[in-house]
Amino acid sequence: MPESGQKATQEHIIQTAPVEAARRAGLLVTLVLGGLTALPPLSMDMYLPALPEVTGALHAPAATIQLTLTACLAGMAFGQLVVGPMSDRWGRRRPLLVGMVVYVLATAVCALAPTVELLIGFRLLQGLAGAAGIVIARAVVRDLYDGVEMARFFSTLMLISGAAPIIAPLIGGQIMRITDWRGVFHVLTVIGVLLTVVVWRFLGETLPAERRHEGGVGQALRTMKGLLADRVFAGYMLTGGLAFAALFAYISASPFVVQEIYGASPQTFSLLFGLNSIGLVAVGQINGKLLVGRVSLDKALGWGLGTILLAALALLLMTSGVFGEVGLVPVAAGLFVLMSAMGLALPNTNAQALMRTPHAAGSASALLGTTSFLVGAVASPLVGIAGEHTAVPMAVVQLTCAVLAVACFLGLCRPWQAAPGAAGVQAPAAAGTHDPAA
């Protein structure tokens, strides 16, 4: 072999060694990335049982205390737009470690905050820093895996991140039994420190230097503009965001619908909420273990979207009285089917979108996450627009989101035009290329 060719081969082995080592780590990488994606919902939902006590402790009205939730959610949404391009330029590891350190410091200050204004400000910073975990975890998956393997890994991540919203309020409630609301932030600080140490110790760099982007804010904006100009990527992004909005509508409306309209106890609501979350996680595992590799990702995604659409239509017919007076059981069954079908829709939209963007996985991940948060935030308030005595707005929002998701999938993604790949998976765009007309 010529000396130049041998040298190039050696350089390629050196550059790809960290990626191959990370892939071989398997379970450890899964747990680390799962922890990163679970941290934001833990930060949001562990705090929920403490809201009434915070209102009294800081002598602020409930509406002002609610801003501590809004600030954290807004930080998570917009932080991804900052961290994603940073990770494409400087690699995954450094921005992630910086974000985790800032998260720990912001959370510690939240635990000590003497005023509601300071708490709101540092909850915003906590969300901005915590966004690093969400966006970089998805980008790392794109660095390590492709095609069928990537879809399977996203389904596995759903098992971990899907459990977080279930257990977070329970953990928060138990913390409140032995300490005050500040104890919730103390626990989150400890979790953040432990996760930072694990990331520093076990998660190596997964983006080789030759695949990084040079340039500042202008380059980042041009990269995002190019991603948005890709019709198919934009289609998967909007499809996933609209499906996520239907899920947000459920989360926002279900406490009111189940307890106030149908008269269920808080315990019954908690049971139903847990069952629905289990359904989502279980279908996500079916997707990853049984469907991926046997059917195309687009076909599995289509099944999920079709099921969400039918479930939302059934919920609208039931809540609007077309079938007469219906009780909680049929409505709960419809919600269970809708939530479970998210296990097909969400991981497959992420996988298909990121397969098109090996050259800008951080920016693509940022756009996917921010779109989901923003569309969900717009949909959530609409569920209560008609007052407190009807569940029709929830069903209307869910059906509208489902119809628009199917329209984006068919009109923009056009799955029948997908190039055949492994097991019918759409072939990804070549690294470093991006055809907006594709």
Side-chain angles (χ1 to χ4, degrees):
M1 178 183 293
E3 183 179 348
S4 59
Q6 185 176 8
K7 183 178 180 182
T9 301
Q10 290 174 345
E11 289 179 351
H12 175 75
I13 293 173
I14 292 172
Q15 291 164 351
T16 58
V19 174
E20 293 302 320
R23 293 181 69 172
R24 288 195 298 269
L27 178 61
L28 181 59
V29 172
T30 301
L31 293 176
V32 173
L33 298 182
L36 291 173
T37 56
L39 188 60
L42 285 176
S43 302
M44 290 289 295
D45 297 342
M46 274 179 62
Y47 175 64
L48 294 178
L51 285 177
E53 184 175 315
V54 179
T55 301
L58 297 183
H59 309 291
T64 303
I65 297 300
Q66 287 288 341
L67 291 177
T68 62
L69 293 176
T70 304
C72 188
L73 183 62
M76 290 178 190
F78 291 104
Q80 296 182 63
L81 291 177
V82 177
V83 178
M86 287 175 58
S87 74
D88 283 337
R89 181 180 182 187
W90 290 303
R92 313 303 184 204
R93 183 174 166 83
R94 281 189 291 173
L96 178 57
L97 286 172
V98 170
M100 292 303 302
V101 170
V102 174
Y103 173 88
V104 169
L105 295 176
T107 306
V109 174
C110 287
L112 304 173
T115 65
V116 68
E117 291 80 11
L118 192 64
L119 181 59
I120 291 172
F122 277 89
R123 282 286 277 177
L124 175 64
L125 183 60
Q126 183 192 42
L128 287 168
I134 307 174
V135 68
I136 292 181
R138 276 196 301 261
V140 167
V141 173
R142 181 63 190 91
D143 294 338
L144 299 180
Y145 301 99
D146 200 357
V148 168
E149 286 184 324
M150 181 165 59
R152 283 181 176 149
F153 199 95
F154 275 126
S155 294
T156 302
L157 279 187
M158 183 169 287
L159 177 63
I160 301 173
S161 59
I166 304 174
I167 65 173
L170 301 177
I171 296 174
Q174 294 305 309
I175 293 172
M176 294 295 294
R177 294 183 63 180
I178 59 177
T179 183
D180 61 5
W181 65 273
R182 298 182 188 274
V184 173
F185 290 106
H186 288 307
V187 172
L188 286 172
T189 301
V190 172
I191 293 173
V193 170
L194 293 175
L195 193 53
T196 302
V197 172
V198 170
V199 168
W200 173 75
R201 178 67 180 82
F202 296 109
L203 188 63
E205 181 57 63
T206 61
L207 185 66
E210 73 277 6
R211 289 175 51 196
R212 298 177 190 176
H213 291 184
E214 296 297 331
V217 175
Q219 177 61 38
L221 293 176
R222 284 191 293 272
T223 299
M224 289 188 176
K225 181 180 178 181
L227 292 171
L228 293 174
D230 181 339
R231 169 179 54 76
V232 180
F233 172 83
Y236 286 119
M237 180 187 72
L238 291 173
T239 299
L242 288 162
F244 198 69
L247 185 150
F248 257 61
Y250 157 78
I251 293 174
S252 299
S254 59
F256 165 72
V257 170
V258 173
Q259 295 180 80
E260 299 297 327
I261 296 179
Y262 291 99
S265 66
Q267 292 74 26
T268 300
F269 165 72
S270 299
L271 175 62
L272 293 176
F273 192 91
L275 287 174
N276 289 340
S277 299
I278 291 171
L280 186 153
V281 171
V283 173
Q285 294 311 293
I286 292 171
N287 176 71
K289 305 298 183 184
L290 299 178
L291 297 182
V292 172
R294 292 177 173 85
V295 300
S296 71
L297 300 188
D298 278 331
K299 184 175 290 186
L301 172 56
W303 290 346
L305 293 175
T307 303
I308 293 170
L309 180 63
L310 291 176
L313 178 60
L315 284 167
L316 179 59
L317 295 176
M318 286 188 287
T319 56
S320 60
V322 172
F323 300 133
E325 197 73 26
V326 298
L328 176 60
V329 172
V331 173
L335 290 172
F336 177 80
V337 172
L338 185 143
M339 281 289 290
S340 298
M342 296 290 174
L344 291 176
L346 299 181
N348 290 325
T349 51
N350 281 333
Q352 288 288 62
L354 288 173
M355 267 195 290
R356 297 185 62 82
T357 59
H359 58 293
S363 296
S365 177
L367 288 172
L368 291 172
T370 301
T371 299
S372 294
F373 274 99
L374 292 181
V375 177
V378 170
S380 294
L382 299 178
V383 298
I385 199 168
E388 302 179 355
H389 304 290
T390 175
V392 170
M394 177 193 73
V396 169
V397 171
Q398 290 174 330
L399 182 59
T400 301
C401 290
V403 170
L404 292 175
V406 171
C408 289
F409 179 56
L410 297 178
L412 296 176
C413 302
R414 301 176 189 173
W416 58 87
Q417 295 179 352
V425 177
Q426 177 176 325
T433 64
H434 205 68
D435 182 8

